[in-house]
Structures are given as C-alpha cells and as structure tokens.
Amino acid sequence: MLDLFTIFTKGGIVLWFFRGTNSLLTQPVNLLISREFLQQQQMGNDTLSFKFRQDNSRGLIFLAAHHKLLQLTYVDDLLDDVQIAFTDFVSEVSEEGQRLESID
C-alpha cells in the first residue's frame, strides 16, 4: 500500500496529496524535496522508497512513497497515469478559463 502520493510544484506548493497511512512522513518528504529537487542531490532513506515523475514544462512533480519492504509493481504505471490525467485536466480547465477551487 502507498504511504503517500502527492503532486506539487517545483517551488514546493502542494497541489494534491493522499496519505495512505498515519505514518509521520513530513520530515522524510521535506528532506527529499530539499535535497533531490532544490539542491539536486541524491537522497536515500532506510525505510521508505520514493518514486517520482517530473513534468518540466509545467514545473510539476508527482511523488509516491511506500515502505521498502513492499514490492509495489504498480507504482511506475500509477505515476505515469496520474501525470497524464492531471496535466490533461489542468490543460482542459485552463483552456476553458475556469478556476480551480478546493473541494472539501
């Protein structure tokens, strides 16, 4: 099971997220963002596996995190599918001139 899936800008603004567990992931994710994306350094973690896709044309990052003990074979396909669906949705909304609003 995924522990975290998030979409954020390269500037660090979170556009959407899903937290699948109650694990405290704030520190490892913030460290990943700081080192990997802002400072361009490779980062490892003892317990978590991070996979991501970057959309450089839109400045977006799609990130999935899960425990390394789990062999989640679907994560790469999920990242690809979400990236396509999200960017298509944002393009469609912006073409129509609609505003994106928070849905509670």
Side-chain angles (χ1 to χ4, degrees):
M1 165 171 54
L2 282 178
D3 291 302
L4 176 77
F5 193 101
T6 186
I7 303 168
F8 58 95
T9 66
K10 287 188 175 182
I13 298 170
V14 175
L15 302 175
W16 184 86
F17 77 94
F18 164 80
R19 186 172 34 201
T21 64
N22 290 330
S23 299
L24 187 59
L25 297 171
T26 306
Q27 184 178 7
V29 170
N30 286 343
L31 190 60
L32 171 77
I33 292 168
S34 174
R35 288 190 180 161
E36 184 79 23
F37 302 115
L38 300 179
Q39 298 175 13
Q40 299 296 315
Q41 297 175 0
Q42 292 292 328
M43 185 209 146
N45 188 294
D46 293 336
T47 59
L48 294 173
S49 176
F50 295 105
K51 291 191 175 187
F52 61 90
R53 297 288 183 274
Q54 291 188 44
D55 184 341
N56 290 325
S57 65
R58 291 178 179 83
L60 298 175
I61 298 169
F62 302 80
L63 173 73
H66 63 85
H67 284 280
K68 283 186 175 180
L69 295 174
L70 302 174
Q71 298 295 323
L72 301 181
T73 58
Y74 64 85
V75 175
D76 288 317
D77 291 336
L78 178 66
L79 283 164
D80 293 337
D81 292 345
V82 170
Q83 180 179 0
I84 291 167
F86 187 81
T87 54
D88 287 350
F89 172 75
V90 169
S91 295
E92 185 178 304
V93 168
S94 64
E95 285 175 6
E96 295 174 4
Q98 297 177 5
R99 276 187 54 203
L100 294 175
E101 296 183 15
S102 174
I103 299 173
D104 294 325

